[in-house]
Short mmCIF file of all heavy atoms in Angstrom, two decimals:
data_model
loop_
_atom_site.label_atom_id
_atom_site.label_comp_id
_atom_site.label_asym_id
_atom_site.label_seq_id
_atom_site.Cartn_x
_atom_site.Cartn_y
_atom_site.Cartn_z
N GLN A 33 88.42 88.54 99.89
CA GLN A 33 87.20 88.81 100.61
C GLN A 33 87.44 90.00 101.54
O GLN A 33 88.34 89.97 102.37
CB GLN A 33 86.77 87.57 101.42
CG GLN A 33 86.44 86.39 100.56
CD GLN A 33 85.93 85.19 101.35
OE1 GLN A 33 85.42 85.36 102.46
NE2 GLN A 33 86.07 84.00 100.81
N PRO A 116 106.69 53.40 88.10
CA PRO A 116 105.50 53.90 88.78
C PRO A 116 104.52 54.57 87.80
O PRO A 116 104.94 55.08 86.75
CB PRO A 116 106.06 54.92 89.76
CG PRO A 116 107.33 55.39 89.13
CD PRO A 116 107.89 54.20 88.44
N LEU A 211 102.13 87.87 101.35
CA LEU A 211 101.50 89.10 100.84
C LEU A 211 102.27 90.33 101.27
O LEU A 211 102.37 91.32 100.53
CB LEU A 211 100.07 89.18 101.36
CG LEU A 211 99.01 88.40 100.60
CD1 LEU A 211 97.67 88.54 101.27
CD2 LEU A 211 98.93 88.86 99.15
N THR A 221 103.48 102.25 104.26
CA THR A 221 104.03 103.54 103.86
C THR A 221 103.57 104.64 104.78
O THR A 221 104.37 105.47 105.21
CB THR A 221 103.58 103.87 102.40
OG1 THR A 221 104.14 102.88 101.55
CG2 THR A 221 104.09 105.23 102.01
N GLU A 243 120.96 125.41 119.91
CA GLU A 243 121.58 126.59 119.31
C GLU A 243 121.08 127.86 119.99
O GLU A 243 121.81 128.84 120.15
CB GLU A 243 121.24 126.65 117.82
CG GLU A 243 121.94 125.59 116.99
CD GLU A 243 123.43 125.86 116.88
OE1 GLU A 243 123.87 126.96 117.26
OE2 GLU A 243 124.15 124.95 116.45
N LEU A 259 128.86 128.43 114.19
CA LEU A 259 129.22 127.26 114.99
C LEU A 259 129.96 126.24 114.13
O LEU A 259 130.90 125.61 114.57
CB LEU A 259 127.96 126.63 115.59
CG LEU A 259 127.28 127.43 116.68
CD1 LEU A 259 125.97 126.74 117.09
CD2 LEU A 259 128.17 127.61 117.90
N ALA A 304 96.34 86.56 125.98
CA ALA A 304 96.07 85.89 124.71
C ALA A 304 94.61 86.09 124.32
O ALA A 304 93.74 86.29 125.19
CB ALA A 304 96.35 84.39 124.79
N ASP A 309 86.93 79.31 115.00
CA ASP A 309 86.52 79.53 113.61
C ASP A 309 86.06 78.17 113.11
O ASP A 309 86.80 77.18 113.20
CB ASP A 309 87.72 80.03 112.79
CG ASP A 309 87.31 80.41 111.38
OD1 ASP A 309 86.10 80.44 111.10
OD2 ASP A 309 88.21 80.68 110.55
N TYR A 322 75.40 65.64 111.43
CA TYR A 322 76.01 66.94 111.14
C TYR A 322 77.52 66.81 111.39
O TYR A 322 77.96 66.09 112.29
CB TYR A 322 75.45 68.01 112.07
CG TYR A 322 74.04 68.44 111.75
CD1 TYR A 322 72.96 67.60 111.97
CD2 TYR A 322 73.79 69.73 111.25
CE1 TYR A 322 71.67 68.00 111.67
CE2 TYR A 322 72.50 70.14 110.97
CZ TYR A 322 71.43 69.26 111.19
OH TYR A 322 70.16 69.65 110.90
N LEU A 345 88.44 71.24 125.37
CA LEU A 345 87.16 71.48 124.71
C LEU A 345 86.05 70.88 125.58
O LEU A 345 86.06 69.66 125.85
CB LEU A 345 87.15 70.83 123.31
CG LEU A 345 88.16 71.39 122.30
CD1 LEU A 345 87.99 70.65 120.97
CD2 LEU A 345 88.02 72.89 122.11
N GLY A 357 88.95 63.95 113.87
CA GLY A 357 90.00 64.79 113.34
C GLY A 357 91.35 64.12 113.44
O GLY A 357 91.46 62.88 113.49
N ARG A 380 97.74 65.46 120.25
CA ARG A 380 97.40 64.20 120.88
C ARG A 380 96.47 64.46 122.07
O ARG A 380 96.42 65.56 122.61
CB ARG A 380 98.69 63.50 121.41
CG ARG A 380 99.41 64.33 122.48
CD ARG A 380 100.60 63.60 123.03
NE ARG A 380 101.35 64.43 123.97
CZ ARG A 380 101.08 64.52 125.26
NH1 ARG A 380 100.04 63.85 125.78
NH2 ARG A 380 101.78 65.30 126.06
N LEU A 382 95.59 64.11 125.92
CA LEU A 382 96.49 64.25 127.05
C LEU A 382 96.62 62.94 127.84
O LEU A 382 97.70 62.63 128.35
CB LEU A 382 96.02 65.38 127.96
CG LEU A 382 97.04 65.98 128.93
CD1 LEU A 382 98.24 66.54 128.16
CD2 LEU A 382 96.41 67.06 129.78
#
Side-chain angles (χ1 to χ4, degrees):
Q33 297 184 23
L211 278 178
T221 298
E243 290 290 348
L259 291 175
D309 186 8
Y322 287 70
L345 297 181
R380 62 177 176 86
L382 199 59

